[in-house]
Amino acid sequence: MPIPPLAKKPLQATVAKLKRTGRALGKLKPQPVNPVQALQDIKARRVARRTTSGLQLVLADRIDFVNPLHWDALAAQTVFLSRDYLRVLEQHAPDNLEPRYAMAYADGEPVAAMLLQRVAVGGAQLRKPGNKKLVDAPMAGLKEHLLVCGNLLVWGARAMALAPHADEGQLWHGICEAIYRLRRADKLDGQSDFALIKDLGMAVGDVPPALRLLGYRSVETEPDMVLTLRPEWRSWDDYLASMTSGYRSAAKKLIKDCAAAGLTLREAGAEEMAARADELHALYGQVHQAQGLRLATLTPGYLPAMAAALGPRFRCRVAEHADGRWLGFVTSVHDGATALGYYIGYDRAANADAPIYLSLLQSTVQDAIAFGSTRLSLGRTALEPKAKMGCKPEPLSCAVRHRVSALNWITTALTKTAEHDEPPERSPFKAVA
């Protein structure tokens, strides 16, 4: 379940939709605007952009360059900000991605820890699925840079840790100031036109006012599909027993069909993953290459190194054929009270004969129960099968800003026309007395 792009349809279809929506918007009657209020808003945004947050900032290119005690005091909130994980990210980052780090202090006390990523986007990220040609010939020479406050290799609010007692408005102002300083510092390596704050764990209407004041536009993405684990679920059988007969039979049938096809689902350790890293990467690639927009592609060593670094906080389950071949895998990460069904890969041809993907997907429930988690987060894609597992949507949104304030109308137009699929309503569990 890799991090999906903001729009999952091919680029040409998305562009066509934007044109149609733009024509429709052009026919709408403009809403009345209070010129006095509009002028006051413009002045307020201009002043905010030219005012510092009042926080002290530390910027770094490597996680080992920051104060470890200060970082760890905040970063304990998520494993994806742990220094163990971040060293793996630095050593096995996608070729087009460079991590950056920032810490904010209030009177010498650390109040914010941030992971940022400088991302180069070119034609390689804009290829049609199954086609070696670029989406459009003009894209062949495209090379842009994004500065992302977030992690393209995971979803959710897992790239910044904020002190709960600090002033929220000042913190968000400090985050935007850190983005601005890093963008300016990296200018010699290429201008970053867009800044993106990725996966705010909130709906668009709840985005902090400080972001809007600083020129950021918010856009809602597909929700995170989350299964709430009941306290009485101590095993896979307990989970099945809580389902209605139809859903329970369907879940059992997935395992039976895989067994009939000669497949066994079992755990694989870090050493075995490292020894068969190319095999894992090829399975991941079959899923990843089907995406229309691929901002970041894993390297073969990323998941094995992550398994070795995180130890019991990481699990890999493989679908192994009787002849020893791996035809699929899924990884799970223990992140505090939440378990993540992380990256998945499978042989598409074999999946046509046996439900490899669905069996691996539902096996993450076993891992979440074994971790002792209270929630299982499965990300944005494949909304229908996740709803059948009992997952419910939780809103996610992003905030984006162009470096030239006058061009922020582009981001405004995009946010107004962005669409995503709505998750279906499913009730797989028996009523609780």
Side-chain angles (χ1 to χ4, degrees):
M1 281 144 288
I3 304 301
L6 294 180
K8 70 177 184 178
K9 295 184 178 180
L11 185 60
Q12 286 180 323
T14 302
V15 171
K17 179 184 289 185
L18 289 176
K19 290 180 178 178
R20 291 195 300 270
T21 307
R23 288 194 294 267
L25 288 174
K27 297 177 182 179
L28 296 178
K29 184 179 179 180
Q31 297 297 315
V33 177
N34 184 330
V36 176
Q37 184 62 50
L39 183 59
Q40 291 176 346
D41 292 344
I42 292 173
K43 289 182 177 179
R45 288 195 294 268
R46 189 174 187 277
V47 170
R49 290 196 301 270
R50 287 160 174 78
T51 304
T52 63
S53 63
L55 299 175
Q56 302 85 48
L57 299 178
V58 172
L59 310 179
D61 293 338
R62 295 290 182 269
I63 187 57
D64 290 328
F65 296 169
V66 303
N67 185 307
L69 296 178
H70 293 173
W71 183 273
D72 292 348
L74 293 169
Q77 299 176 19
T78 171
V79 71
F80 287 94
L81 283 178
S82 69
R83 288 180 291 127
D84 289 339
Y85 167 76
L86 294 173
R87 291 190 187 103
V88 170
L89 179 61
E90 290 176 4
Q91 295 168 10
H92 301 278
D95 296 336
N96 65 325
L97 186 152
E98 298 177 71
R100 297 285 188 268
Y101 308 93
M103 291 199 70
Y105 291 78
D107 299 323
E109 180 185 0
V111 293
M114 295 162 268
L115 166 65
L116 302 99
Q117 294 174 341
R118 175 179 161 82
V119 185
V121 179
Q125 285 76 45
L126 301 173
R127 296 180 187 276
K128 289 182 180 179
N131 192 334
K132 295 182 179 180
K133 295 182 180 180
L134 294 173
V135 173
D136 281 311
M139 295 292 184
L142 174 67
K143 186 174 182 181
E144 297 290 340
H145 290 92
L146 308 177
L147 184 58
V148 179
C149 183
N151 187 349
L152 292 180
L153 305 187
V154 71
W155 61 92
R158 292 183 169 86
M160 65 176 71
L162 310 179
H165 62 275
D167 180 80
E168 181 182 3
Q170 187 181 34
L171 280 179
W172 285 110
H173 197 146
I175 290 167
C176 295
E177 184 179 348
I179 293 172
Y180 173 78
R181 290 196 190 184
L182 281 168
R183 184 179 63 78
R184 297 288 293 176
D186 282 337
K187 187 175 180 180
L188 292 176
D189 294 326
Q191 183 74 266
S192 296
D193 288 333
F194 282 94
L196 172 69
I197 301 177
K198 181 179 175 291
D199 287 354
L200 300 168
M202 59 188 74
V204 168
D206 298 327
V207 169
L211 293 182
R212 293 193 293 271
L213 187 63
L214 291 165
Y216 282 83
R217 305 299 194 269
S218 55
V219 56
E220 185 178 26
T221 67
E222 286 182 319
D224 181 12
M225 297 298 285
V226 176
L227 172 66
T228 300
L229 302 178
R230 297 180 180 178
E232 62 268 25
W233 293 348
R234 303 292 183 181
S235 67
W236 169 249
D237 289 336
D238 292 338
Y239 167 75
L240 289 179
S242 69
M243 305 184 87
T244 58
S245 59
Y247 285 98
R248 182 171 60 251
S249 298
K252 289 181 176 180
K253 187 175 185 299
L254 294 177
I255 300 174
K256 291 179 181 178
D257 289 347
C258 281
L263 293 169
T264 301
L265 270 62
R266 68 171 181 86
E267 288 189 35
E271 293 184 0
E272 193 175 10
M273 290 176 65
R276 304 179 69 166
D278 290 339
E279 197 171 347
L280 281 175
H281 192 67
L283 293 171
Y284 152 77
Q286 291 197 43
V287 175
H288 182 66
Q289 292 300 319
Q291 297 178 357
L293 180 65
R294 304 179 296 279
L295 292 182
T297 300
L298 297 188
T299 59
Y302 174 75
L303 291 176
M306 192 173 172
L310 299 186
R313 295 171 291 179
F314 186 98
R315 290 194 177 193
C316 177
R317 194 179 299 270
V318 297
E320 185 175 63
H321 194 267
D323 59 12
R325 289 178 298 145
W326 286 359
L327 297 181
F329 78 91
V330 68
T331 56
S332 299
V333 179
H334 187 193
D335 190 24
T338 301
L340 270 75
Y342 198 39
Y343 277 93
I344 194 168
Y346 56 91
D347 185 294
R348 288 188 170 274
N351 190 66
D353 300 323
I356 298 173
Y357 169 73
L358 294 177
S359 296
L360 289 170
L361 184 66
Q362 74 174 13
S363 74
T364 58
V365 177
Q366 300 179 57
D367 293 333
I369 293 173
F371 284 146
S373 304
T374 59
R375 302 166 72 253
L376 171 62
S377 170
L378 292 177
R380 300 182 177 98
T381 57
L383 304 183
E384 173 71 26
K386 292 171 186 176
K388 290 181 178 179
M389 290 170 56
C391 294
K392 299 297 182 183
E394 293 188 358
L396 289 174
S397 59
C398 297
V400 63
R401 183 183 187 278
H402 196 279
R403 67 178 180 86
V404 180
S405 301
L407 295 181
N408 262 322
W409 66 270
I410 298 175
T411 62
T412 301
L414 289 174
T415 58
K416 286 183 177 179
T417 55
E419 294 182 356
H420 62 80
D421 293 338
E422 293 298 327
E425 288 287 341
R426 298 290 181 268
S427 301
F429 299 119
K430 302 173 184 175
V432 179

